[in-house]
Amino acid sequence: MIEVFIPGNLENPLNHARQRFHGARLRKKSRAVAGAYYRAEIMAQRAHGVVWGASTPKRVTFLARLWNRMDDDGLGASLKGVRDALADVRLIDTDGPESGHEFVYQQVIDRKRRGVEVRVEAL
């Protein structure tokens, strides 16, 4: 199992529809930051002999620690870059429905430790 905490504020890009590229900038930044955290954890696990196959079906759980609750579509949109980074670092092959991976989204209010906890485990 891989568990990674990515600190930071999650922002709903759907709330910035009038600002043309704001959502794209948010996704690009969160994707890069998440990728760095994933790579560090993968390297630590490889040092212990653990190797992950990208095509092996996995359950990925995102636990968003937020200031205020988000609606379901906003939560998914705010975590899109974090989810896409999983494929960038080859923890998963693709995030499409044909991949066999499960994605679970949860949220809690935590005003002291904001960010997202990502847990990846084989099915």
Side-chain angles (χ1 to χ4, degrees):
M1 177 177 10
I2 288 180
E3 290 184 316
V4 177
F5 178 71
I6 304 165
N9 297 327
L10 290 177
E11 196 174 330
N12 183 351
L14 303 176
N15 289 342
H16 300 282
R18 292 193 175 132
Q19 297 172 0
R20 188 169 182 184
F21 297 108
H22 186 74
R25 281 191 294 268
L26 286 175
R27 279 190 302 279
K28 184 176 180 180
K29 180 181 176 185
S30 67
R31 191 173 186 163
V33 170
Y37 278 94
Y38 294 150
R39 282 184 193 91
E41 183 61 26
I42 290 168
M43 296 297 280
Q45 289 205 5
R46 281 190 185 151
H48 290 81
V50 178
V51 178
W52 287 79
S55 61
T56 304
K58 298 172 186 71
R59 176 178 298 115
V60 181
T61 305
F62 301 97
L63 175 60
R65 297 184 167 281
L66 305 166
W67 186 266
N68 292 318
R69 292 187 61 79
M70 287 188 189
D71 56 3
D72 291 340
D73 60 342
L75 182 62
S78 68
L79 292 170
K80 181 168 177 26
V82 176
R83 179 172 166 166
D84 289 345
L86 291 166
D88 293 346
V89 299
R90 303 293 300 148
L91 273 173
I92 61 173
D93 48 353
T94 180
D95 62 354
E98 72 282 352
S99 67
H101 305 303
E102 293 178 15
F103 298 95
V104 180
Y105 295 90
Q106 302 170 340
Q107 58 182 314
V108 295
I109 294 176
D110 187 346
R111 295 182 173 160
K112 293 185 180 181
R113 186 175 184 233
R114 288 183 283 168
V116 60
E117 293 177 16
V118 182
R119 178 182 299 140
V120 181
E121 51 195 337
L123 290 178

